[in-house]
Amino acid sequence: MVRAGNPGYAFPGVGDAMRTKTIVLTAAAFLIAALPALAALDKGSPVTSKPERDEPAAGPEETFDDLAKQCVPGADATNAAQVIYACTRLDNGFQLDDKNRAIALADRGYAYIALENGERALSDFEQALGLDKTNMAALKGRGVARMMAKKFDDAVADYTEVLSRFPADLGTLYGLAYAESQRGRFDAADAAFDRLAATDASFASIRAFGDDGNGKPHDDAVLSLDELKNLKPGSPQAFLYHGALYTSLALYDQALAELDKAVALKPDYIDAYGYRGAVHRLQKKDEAAIAEFDRVLAIKPDNIKGLNERARAHFRLHHWKESLADLDRVLALTPQDAYSYDLRGRIHLVLEENEAALADFNKAIALKPDFEEAYVDLGLYHGANNKYEDAERDFDRAVTLAPDNDFALCSRGHARSSLGKYEEALQDYSRSFELDPGNSCALNGRGNVYTELGRYADAVQDMNLFIEKYPEDAAAYNGRCWARGLWNRDLDAALADCEKALKLRPGVASILDSRGLVRFRMGDWKAALADFDAALAKAPKQAASLFMRGIVKLRTGDQQGGLADIAAAKALNPKIAERYAKWGIKP
């Protein structure tokens, strides 16, 4: 049996990993952090001319001037969301001319880069260049986004065009050098680094920072680090800079070694501790990251970034109360932080503190009406409380704001499945899977819907793909067991699937129910009865198990017991007999 309710499907866990997909890129974060002028190149006039508004402001604080001040280049991860929001409101809410619209789109693209969302960044830069092909900031940004997608040839083409107009631009030279090294053209990379060093001596430190074919930097890269040390002897900033460089190349052990030297020279160096925490996060070592942010906060207890980072590390480790405590402090210091309200709401939902969760999600949306993730989380709240129509509406809003949000699409598929809208759910699952072929949520959900529609071969095929990716997922084995049991084919394989699921999650009522169905199909009445008894011992109000136990009792001559179980099942679910009848199972 596969369900959460009947016929519902489990909504994705709000306490799972942060869900925001990231593209692994070693250079992009450094390009933003180490080159603050990255987006400044030929940005054109700022968005200052006040056009007509197409739609009313969402609130009195959303004046044109305020939004224009917030839609700026050079965002980092701490303010990127605000930049994206402001640029989006400018783009959608005012009649900007092509040149100013291109500026807003380019600024938003850089904010997406700060969030390591290369796909959306690339889309913004492409749109900006379509409106104004002379926007060099957009052209440079497109080079960065193409590097994130590992399209190094295309990135080199963009950087070369920018340098034809601005031959001494540091950010573009660094991007060109990095892209050339990734293409294996180390002579070209060295030439770009030579130009960097000639323009700014500090860039002598990154000469020949490329791959030697074995995932390691060239030998002379280490020597070039010494050049910077000689330029700034005894400088903690130099070691921090080295750590940033090594981090940009995913050489995390070397990065930590350099950062250790920085804090040895400057024991209260908050930036170095914070950077060490970030390196540990990249290494997926959240306990170590927390220790570093503890040090940041011991030096400066109200450091917003340290509190935010530690809260999120605790969240990833399911340290709910610790994460809540940090988020409470963040919101006391920055009460307009919609993202922290949303994250806090997710923790309240995990802890079944429903009123607090709902209040936080609503507050997040009130602060940022275009906050797609908050609508997703509000939908998860409604789904978890069996309010599937409300959940569907919330996911509709999220998908309207972000049509390519695969998680929102999959979640809407769950809501629609729970409402019996199977064909619409299939569309959502299929689109979600198309956007992310590694999407376990879509595969599992679509497989369950195929089962409901009697498309058992398709269901088993999706479950096969899911199990290939997640061979230790008990729910997937249970789903395939259930589908094969309803199909009444490959029953030996179905039984093996249920046995595997029970080995992974012993005693789960829904899996015992599935195995009971398979044994019923095999004619093993005694074993089937034992499974339904065991399932009901775990979940006495599981209508499916009551109904099937009644069927088995009737088949074995226990008329009174069988009819009593079936009556009890119908009292819990009036449509239970109709449901099983379509599978050929009747009293």
Side-chain angles (χ1 to χ4, degrees):
M1 177 176 61
V2 181
R3 60 181 171 276
N6 198 3
Y9 302 106
F11 279 73
V14 292
D16 292 341
M18 300 297 287
R19 294 204 312 267
T20 304
K21 291 193 301 182
T22 57
I23 299 172
V24 177
L25 171 79
T26 58
F30 173 72
L31 284 169
I32 295 293
L35 303 171
L38 179 66
L41 173 63
D42 195 32
K43 183 177 181 292
S45 302
V47 184
T48 54
S49 58
K50 294 186 179 181
E52 294 296 321
R53 180 185 281 278
D54 279 343
E55 57 178 304
E61 77 282 0
E62 285 193 342
T63 66
F64 174 87
D65 288 340
D66 286 342
L67 290 170
K69 289 175 183 177
Q70 296 172 51
C71 178
V72 293
D76 61 26
T78 64
N79 71 336
Q82 182 60 45
V83 172
I84 290 167
Y85 175 77
C87 295
T88 300
R89 296 298 296 168
L90 283 174
D91 184 31
N92 293 339
F94 296 87
Q95 296 177 348
L96 301 178
D97 59 31
D98 285 354
K99 188 176 184 67
N100 278 300
R101 188 171 176 227
I103 293 170
L105 287 166
D107 289 347
R108 190 173 71 180
Y110 281 104
Y112 278 126
I113 284 177
L115 295 176
E116 299 182 34
N117 192 332
E119 185 177 354
R120 290 197 184 180
L122 182 59
S123 175
D124 277 351
F125 294 132
E126 295 279 14
Q127 289 183 69
L129 290 167
L131 293 166
D132 180 9
K133 64 182 180 182
T134 68
N135 189 315
M136 292 293 102
L139 187 62
K140 178 196 268 186
R142 188 174 71 176
V144 177
R146 284 173 162 177
M147 285 210 303
M148 295 177 79
K150 301 187 185 302
K151 296 179 178 179
F152 298 112
D153 291 347
D154 293 337
V156 166
D158 283 344
Y159 291 141
T160 300
E161 185 176 346
V162 172
L163 290 168
S164 70
R165 291 190 55 187
F166 298 90
D169 183 71
L170 297 178
T172 307
L173 282 168
Y174 178 83
L176 176 65
Y178 186 89
E180 292 286 21
S181 73
Q182 295 304 299
R183 294 205 299 172
R185 291 165 45 90
F186 296 115
D187 288 344
D190 283 342
F193 284 130
D194 283 341
R195 291 170 66 182
L196 274 170
T199 305
D200 184 335
S202 66
F203 278 94
S205 66
I206 57 175
R207 177 170 303 152
F209 244 85
D211 193 307
D212 67 355
N214 296 307
K216 299 178 180 178
H218 289 299
D219 290 340
D220 58 342
V222 177
L223 295 176
S224 64
L225 287 174
D226 288 334
E227 291 184 60
L228 184 56
K229 295 172 192 174
N230 292 332
L231 287 169
K232 298 180 179 180
S235 167
Q237 290 78 12
F239 290 116
L240 178 70
Y241 190 64
H242 300 162
L245 291 172
Y246 277 126
T247 303
S248 76
L249 295 168
L251 299 171
Y252 301 129
D253 290 340
Q254 293 92 323
L256 290 171
E258 295 299 306
L259 295 166
D260 287 346
K261 296 171 187 174
V263 297
L265 290 170
K266 187 178 180 182
D268 62 349
Y269 199 177
I270 284 181
D271 288 344
Y273 290 120
Y275 217 106
R276 286 203 312 199
V279 172
H280 288 311
R281 172 170 51 79
L282 291 168
Q283 293 177 309
K284 301 188 185 302
K285 297 179 178 178
D286 283 312
E287 293 283 7
I290 288 169
E292 299 297 345
F293 297 124
D294 284 345
R295 294 185 178 98
V296 169
L297 295 165
I299 298 168
K300 188 176 181 182
D302 289 341
N303 184 280
I304 299 295
K305 189 170 183 179
L307 285 166
N308 259 314
E309 287 279 4
R310 189 172 69 178
R312 281 151 177 76
H314 280 306
F315 182 94
R316 288 188 293 271
L317 292 170
H318 296 184
H319 297 167
W320 309 126
K321 294 196 179 298
E322 292 85 350
S323 187
L324 271 180
D326 281 343
L327 289 169
D328 286 344
R329 289 175 63 189
V330 168
L331 289 168
L333 294 165
T334 56
Q336 302 302 307
D337 183 353
Y339 294 88
S340 291
Y341 277 112
D342 180 59
L343 184 60
R344 191 174 71 174
R346 288 164 65 182
I347 297 172
H348 284 310
L349 188 54
V350 170
L351 297 175
E352 299 183 357
E353 298 167 353
N354 286 339
E355 290 186 9
L358 182 60
D360 277 346
F361 295 144
N362 284 332
K363 180 67 172 179
I365 290 168
L367 288 168
K368 295 198 181 305
D370 292 347
F371 189 2
E372 69 193 70
E373 284 296 322
Y375 281 114
V376 171
D377 290 327
L378 185 60
L380 295 177
Y381 161 83
H382 283 130
N385 287 280
N386 300 321
K387 298 179 179 179
Y388 301 122
E389 291 181 354
D390 291 338
E392 183 184 23
R393 183 189 65 242
D394 296 329
F395 297 133
D396 279 342
R397 291 171 179 166
V399 172
T400 298
L401 290 167
D404 292 341
N405 185 321
D406 60 281
F407 186 82
L409 284 162
C410 188
S411 298
R412 189 172 68 179
H414 288 328
R416 288 173 165 175
S417 297
S418 299
L419 292 168
K421 299 179 178 180
Y422 298 126
E423 293 295 342
E424 293 175 75
L426 273 184
Q427 293 176 16
D428 281 341
Y429 289 135
S430 295
R431 176 58 180 154
S432 180
F433 184 66
E434 178 185 330
L435 290 166
D436 179 11
N439 191 329
S440 61
C441 167
L443 268 180
N444 198 30
R446 191 172 68 177
N448 289 333
V449 170
Y450 280 142
T451 300
E452 290 294 332
L453 293 173
R455 294 171 57 176
Y456 302 119
D458 291 331
V460 169
Q461 182 178 358
D462 270 1
M463 298 296 181
N464 289 343
L465 291 172
F466 184 95
I467 288 169
E468 284 179 14
K469 295 176 180 294
Y470 305 95
E472 299 301 311
D473 190 290
Y477 287 103
N478 182 35
R480 192 167 66 180
C481 171
W482 178 247
R484 284 169 166 164
L486 294 177
W487 197 8
N488 205 12
R489 289 181 56 175
D490 299 328
L491 295 178
D492 287 338
L495 185 60
D497 280 341
C498 271
E499 298 288 5
K500 175 69 172 178
L502 285 167
K503 183 177 180 181
L504 292 167
R505 294 188 64 191
V508 173
S510 62
I511 305 175
L512 290 165
D513 180 86
S514 297
R515 189 172 68 178
L517 172 73
V518 172
R519 286 173 164 169
F520 170 83
R521 292 292 204 192
M522 299 172 86
D524 190 348
W525 312 122
K526 183 178 179 180
L529 186 61
D531 277 337
F532 295 130
D533 282 341
L536 289 165
K538 295 282 185 178
K541 294 185 178 181
Q542 190 159 273
S545 297
L546 271 170
F547 183 82
M548 284 303 301
R549 188 172 71 176
I551 295 292
V552 173
K553 286 179 178 179
L554 291 178
R555 299 288 172 91
T556 56
D558 182 0
Q559 291 292 314
Q560 183 177 356
L563 292 174
D565 276 347
I566 291 171
K570 288 180 177 179
L572 291 167
N573 181 355
K575 294 184 178 181
I576 191 72
E578 177 184 338
R579 179 172 171 78
Y580 275 84
K582 72 178 182 179
W583 298 321
I585 301 174
K586 301 177 183 179

